[in-house]
């Protein structure tokens, strides 16, 4: 399957975007696709060989899953790449100083429709943008 790429522009400094993207306490606030979803737990050891584990699910408890992988490469304020436990890879790039464009390219799974996976990831980026810009007082 062809990789999927989604992107968004965030009106905040690269330092702020990087911190909010990677700090577990912030991840639990922005890593969702709608108010019906949440991330009640996030662990993030941001270094090559470090583990990421985000427990995601519906707020009503009817569905949860672990988003889990190992970091392959971390280039501060530039890019992050990781491999999920199922072997799929993802790369996130950060360009610009303020605003910052975040582009995420990932290998889709074979079970779910590609459009659903793209829309899910884009919704997470949109949630990140709202949270990061609110934290930085952007208009």
């Amino acid at each position: 399957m062809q990789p999927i790429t989604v992107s968004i522009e965030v009106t905040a400094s690269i330092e702020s975007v990087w911190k909010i993207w990677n700090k577990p306490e912030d991840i639990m606030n922005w890593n969702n696709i709608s108010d019906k979803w949440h991330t009640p737990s996030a662990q993030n050891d941001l270094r090559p060989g470090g583990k990421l584990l985000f427990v995601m699910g519906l707020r009503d408890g009817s569905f949860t899953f672990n988003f889990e992988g190992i970091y392959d490469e971390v280039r501060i304020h530039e890019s992050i790449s990781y491999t999920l436990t199922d072997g799929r890879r993802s790369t996130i790039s950060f360009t610009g100083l303020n605003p910052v464009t975040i582009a995420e390219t990932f290998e889709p799974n074979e079970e779910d429709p590609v459009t659903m996976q793209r829309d899910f990831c884009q919704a997470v980026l949109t949630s990140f943008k709202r949270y990061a810009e609110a934290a930085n007082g952007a208009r």
Side-chain angles (χ1 to χ4, degrees), residues 53 55 58 69 77 87 95 101 111 130 139:
L53 171 60
V55 177
L58 290 168
H77 297 173
T95 54
T101 298
E111 295 79 44
R130 274 194 305 268
R139 305 282 181 271

Side-chain angles (χ1 to χ4, degrees), residues 88-104:
R88 294 181 298 124
R89 295 176 173 253
S90 180
T91 300
I92 302 134
S93 66
F94 302 82
T95 54
L97 300 177
N98 188 350
V100 177
T101 298
I102 302 170
E104 184 165 358

